[in-house]
Amino acid sequence: MCGIVGYLGQKAVVPVLVEGLKRLEYRGYDSAGIAVVNDGRLHVRRASGKLRNLEEALRHNPCEGSYGIGHTRWATHGRPTEENAHPHRDCRGEIVVVHNGIVENYLSLKKTLIAEGHTFVTETDTEVIAHLVEKHLNGSLEQAVRNALAQITGIYAVVILSTKDPHKIVAARIGPPIVVGLGEGEFFVASDIPAILAHTRDVVFLGDSEMAILTSAGVQITDFQGNAVPNKPQRITWDPIMAEKGGFKHFMLKEIHEQPRAVRDTTLGRISRDTGKVLLEEMKISEEEFRKVEHIRIVACGTSWHAALTGKFMIESLARLPVEVDYGSEYRYRDPVVPPHTLAVVVTQSGETADTLAAQRELKEKGARNVAICNVVGSMVTREADGVLYTHAGPEIGVAATKSFTTQLTCLYLLALYLAEARQTLTQEQVRNYIEDLTRIPQKIESIFGKIEYLEELSKHFFRSSNFLYLGRGIHYPVALEGALKLKEISYIHAEGYPSGEMKHGPNALIDETLPVVVIATSNINNPKSIQLYEKTLSNIKEVKARDGIVISLVTPFNKEAIEASDYYIEVPPTNDFLLPILESVPLQLLSYYIAIRRGCDVDQPRNLAKSVTVE
Ligand code: AGP
């Protein structure tokens, strides 16, 4: 977590840094700071709390400079105070460092540095980097940084400058991302693209164990030994407007509304309606290899894990392949067995979740080829993948995943169809019909927006509740999990997702007249199995009602019995079983949003969270 930014060019540096930090606040928002150099002197401003506090501090105590660095923090070591806010300095105040990651051996380094006469003023692990660079600085800054980093263990993205080697910014990374922006006579570094998108679309993604040296003459990229690394600038197609709120009150609401466009963009170019084929062009894995796959392992965290669980239902049913789904954070700790002909699927919005990346590496080490389903071009997970299915959701700024989830479901559906074709478990005609269903989804999501007033109204009844249950069966169970996660992360209401059939094994004891129970009771009228499942869910609704619980059901229009048995119901348009989860997710996102708004919560930046979890 944490967002870092740096700028060297002709513009006024402070607004560039502050605007950049605004775009990175999703990565952490418990304190922020900048350091700029003016006439050879370093000026540092920091504040605890959100970025507006730093802006306030800058209004009271302005500063100017010709180059500088900035940081927005998600605390790992040391409380979120002004003192612990980045940038951190060396003893003489000539070197400043911003850091995203964890210095694992900071305690022993700190002890040694103190014994050598260095004075520490913060509780952070980052401060050791400033003192280490100070210790090694007797020539170029980049060499001092190399020597300092050689002593550090852990993961980090760091950006450093020093008045002793002026007009230079050095950035380096192992783990968390750094993107370098190339403008006309101006250069940028940042944790993520939106921070620099207003200035340039030409970027270089710094690789692991690489370093960027920015001067007014240009950008040099080296490895940690100082050898030049060829860099391939990439052109980003995202529009800066895509990263703005576009008239919506919150990024989350805007991103919920973007889902028809996002699902359409994720589908386009990957399907042929004429031939009834799914085309996955970004693959280094041949069709032959896909045909030989015997096992699928999917790894992911959080919302992406819920998408992965949904994908299991899609792939097992459509392509008849056994699928195991694991949490990235658990996978490598159980010495997993990876049989030959295993295809790994790595699902992640950011492409930089540390646990997911570690699971991907474990799978690679054990011989599995891997496909990433990811939203961020050039991110770490995509670099380590043998093929990428990009979710063309566009930048997702709200901490709560919305459009990334529904586009992940879209990619998993496409992958399931692709595998089904390769393995001939579906006929061409069947694949064509499934494709046809997918092309109708954006329109169907639009129609759900017609229920916004009702959902807003519904939130009035429930925003004071202290607990919620979400129930689902089969492919709808992961949607129940996701509905519960959305509610808890943005409204701070305790919510549980549960498989409906498991209620009688314990959780029924929770039900009383105060408990809202959201039941996913949709079905596909053309599929007898789906109707069977629905009938079982109907019994669950009745069981909740018999114990005085409050039922809010999610139904397809023909599920009259569920409508009658429920206290409230939300209709979603019909579609096939594998696409229903996309449609079900949208009203659940909206319900959570409006409940959270009524409770006065900060939906875009919920407490204690950050968008990208780059630490274990
Ligand atoms: C969901 O709303 C959260 N933001 C979180 O669970 C997220 O899905 C998780 O941290 C995984 O992130 P990733 O998709 O970027 O790997």
Side-chain angles (χ1 to χ4, degrees):
M1 345 276 219
C2 301
I4 51 189
V5 65
Y7 175 69
L8 192 148
Q10 307 308 317
K11 293 186 182 122
V13 64
V14 175
V16 175
L17 296 180
V18 172
E19 281 308 308
L21 290 179
K22 277 187 191 160
R23 307 284 176 279
L24 295 176
E25 227 188 341
Y26 72 87
R27 300 178 68 87
Y29 33 79
D30 58 36
S31 58
I34 61 164
V36 297
V37 181
N38 195 7
D39 287 336
R41 291 196 50 208
L42 202 54
H43 302 270
V44 177
R45 302 286 184 274
R46 301 180 302 177
S48 63
K50 298 231 164 139
L51 193 60
R52 57 177 172 267
N53 298 354
L54 175 67
E55 289 182 279
E56 197 52 31
L58 282 162
R59 255 190 298 280
H60 287 298
N61 191 6
C63 61
E64 284 176 8
S66 47
Y67 60 106
I69 59 180
H71 187 272
T72 177
R73 179 168 187 243
W74 185 82
T76 56
H77 293 64
R79 287 162 297 124
T81 58
E82 181 183 333
E83 187 176 76
N84 288 332
H86 299 216
H88 291 296
R89 282 164 279 201
D90 67 324
C91 298
R92 299 190 200 109
E94 293 170 342
I95 297 161
V96 272
V97 179
V98 290
H99 168 220
N100 172 23
I102 292 176
V103 179
E104 281 166 5
N105 57 340
Y106 85 103
L107 279 174
S108 61
L109 288 170
K110 188 169 175 175
K111 226 166 125 188
T112 313
L113 286 159
I114 289 172
E116 288 170 3
H118 291 262
T119 308
F120 280 74
V121 292
T122 78
E123 299 165 310
T124 68
D125 53 338
T126 304
E127 197 183 351
V128 298
I129 305 175
H131 291 283
L132 280 176
V133 175
E134 176 185 17
K135 177 175 164 176
H136 293 291
L137 185 58
N138 52 19
S140 76
L141 177 63
E142 57 270 32
Q143 193 49 50
V145 173
R146 280 183 199 118
N147 294 342
L149 296 184
Q151 290 185 254
I152 285 173
T153 57
I155 55 152
Y156 50 80
V158 284
V159 180
I160 303 171
L161 61 79
S162 168
T163 51
K164 287 186 85 183
D165 188 2
H167 302 288
K168 186 183 276 179
I169 294 175
V170 175
R173 64 164 286 209
I174 292 185
I178 288 189
V179 58
V180 179
L182 311 169
E184 287 282 318
E186 57 178 2
F187 305 100
F188 308 81
V189 280
S191 298
D192 198 1
I193 300 160
I196 57 176
L197 209 51
H199 307 283
T200 181
R201 290 191 191 181
D202 295 318
V203 302
V204 175
F205 294 98
L206 209 59
D208 248 353
S209 305
E210 285 179 8
M211 178 180 265
I213 302 135
L214 282 65
T215 63
S216 42
V219 177
Q220 199 197 344
I221 311 248
T222 73
D223 61 19
F224 279 11
Q225 285 68 50
N227 305 307
V229 172
N231 62 72
K232 277 184 265 133
Q234 297 190 30
R235 185 136 252 260
I236 298 302
T237 53
W238 291 358
D239 192 308
I241 301 296
M242 287 170 88
E244 298 295 337
K245 283 189 198 155
F248 287 95
K249 203 165 168 216
H250 296 98
F251 280 112
M252 181 179 177
L253 190 60
K254 175 194 170 227
E255 288 157 6
I256 291 173
H257 278 84
E258 282 176 331
Q259 290 177 108
R261 194 269 314 144
V263 169
R264 196 173 291 119
D265 286 359
T266 304
T267 308
L268 285 181
R270 293 189 170 135
I271 53 163
S272 161
R273 281 160 145 172
D274 302 336
T275 59
K277 269 198 160 299
V278 173
L279 323 154
L280 304 183
E281 279 168 356
E282 309 92 333
M283 295 291 151
K284 285 181 222 138
I285 306 172
S286 68
E287 258 189 77
E288 184 54 24
E289 280 178 279
F290 272 115
R291 245 191 300 280
K292 285 191 180 150
V293 168
E294 287 173 11
H295 311 269
I296 306 260
R297 298 281 187 273
I298 319 185
V299 287
C301 293
T303 289
S304 299
W305 184 78
H306 298 152
L309 266 192
T310 319
K312 174 183 167 83
F313 286 89
M314 297 175 181
I315 297 169
E316 288 194 337
S317 296
L318 297 172
R320 307 305 301 147
L321 274 166
V323 181
E324 272 186 23
V325 179
D326 273 270
Y327 282 116
S329 52
E330 290 287 326
Y331 191 65
R332 63 194 185 284
Y333 299 116
R334 64 176 175 85
D335 194 13
V337 176
V338 182
H341 304 296
T342 294
L343 176 72
V345 182
V346 185
V347 187
T348 166
Q349 186 283 133
S350 60
E352 57 170 294
T353 301
D355 288 319
T356 305
L357 188 58
Q360 180 188 34
R361 288 182 177 154
E362 175 87 22
L363 279 154
K364 276 176 79 170
E365 257 168 44
K366 294 196 159 157
R369 300 278 270 158
N370 81 91
V371 171
I373 293 179
C374 186
N375 195 37
V376 179
V377 177
S379 57
M380 208 53 213
V381 162
T382 66
R383 286 155 166 263
E384 304 225 356
D386 300 303
V388 185
L389 262 172
Y390 280 110
T391 50
H392 296 299
E396 190 176 69
I397 309 295
V399 164
T402 52
K403 60 178 178 169
S404 63
F405 179 63
T406 47
T407 52
Q408 285 168 350
L409 296 182
T410 307
C411 283
L412 285 158
Y413 182 79
L414 289 168
L415 181 64
L417 290 179
Y418 182 83
L419 288 165
E421 259 182 342
R423 295 167 49 76
Q424 299 187 331
T425 51
L426 291 178
T427 64
Q428 198 107 9
E429 190 52 30
Q430 284 172 314
V431 175
R432 187 178 288 120
N433 290 338
Y434 279 120
I435 288 177
E436 209 51 54
D437 289 344
L438 178 59
T439 60
R440 294 197 191 103
I441 290 298
Q443 191 65 39
K444 292 185 180 187
I445 301 177
E446 291 284 358
S447 77
I448 294 170
F449 297 146
K451 305 201 185 310
I452 282 188
E453 261 179 49
Y454 176 66
L455 290 162
E456 211 176 339
E457 189 59 32
L458 209 54
S459 70
K460 284 189 198 160
H461 299 276
F462 298 111
F463 76 100
R464 290 201 180 87
S465 301
S466 7
N467 295 291
F468 257 78
L469 262 181
Y470 286 72
L471 306 182
R473 264 177 198 269
I475 197 166
H476 312 290
Y477 163 55
V479 182
L481 292 177
E482 175 59 10
L485 176 62
K486 278 300 79 92
L487 187 71
K488 58 188 151 195
E489 72 180 324
I490 62 169
S491 73
Y492 319 143
I493 294 176
H494 170 248
E496 295 252 14
Y498 227 78
S500 322
E502 284 294 301
M503 286 297 289
K504 54 188 171 297
H505 300 292
N508 267 347
L510 294 170
I511 301 173
D512 64 15
E513 68 288 351
T514 66
L515 185 74
V517 185
V518 178
V519 186
I520 303 175
T522 56
S523 62
N524 170 9
I525 206 161
N526 301 315
N527 179 1
K529 274 196 189 159
S530 173
I531 295 169
Q532 253 178 18
L533 212 66
Y534 159 70
E535 281 164 0
K536 286 182 194 292
T537 305
L538 191 58
S539 306
N540 296 126
I541 293 182
K542 299 218 165 127
E543 282 158 21
V544 174
K545 280 315 303 168
R547 287 157 186 83
D548 295 331
I550 311 159
V551 173
I552 307 156
S553 62
L554 220 64
V555 294
T556 21
F558 35 78
N559 303 134
K560 300 291 177 214
E561 310 82 350
I563 293 174
E564 273 163 29
S566 307
D567 297 279
Y568 305 91
Y569 68 94
I570 307 159
E571 273 183 12
V572 300
T575 183
N576 75 49
D577 303 81
F578 307 106
L579 292 172
L580 273 171
I582 298 184
L583 301 179
E584 292 159 359
S585 307
V586 178
L588 295 185
Q589 295 164 353
L590 285 162
L591 184 63
S592 300
Y593 173 82
Y594 287 112
I595 288 176
I597 293 295
R598 281 199 178 275
R599 289 167 69 88
C601 297
D602 185 344
V603 293
D604 281 339
Q605 297 178 341
R607 67 184 182 202
N608 307 337
L609 298 180
K611 182 85 182 153
S612 305
V613 186
T614 55
V615 291
E616 277 180 38

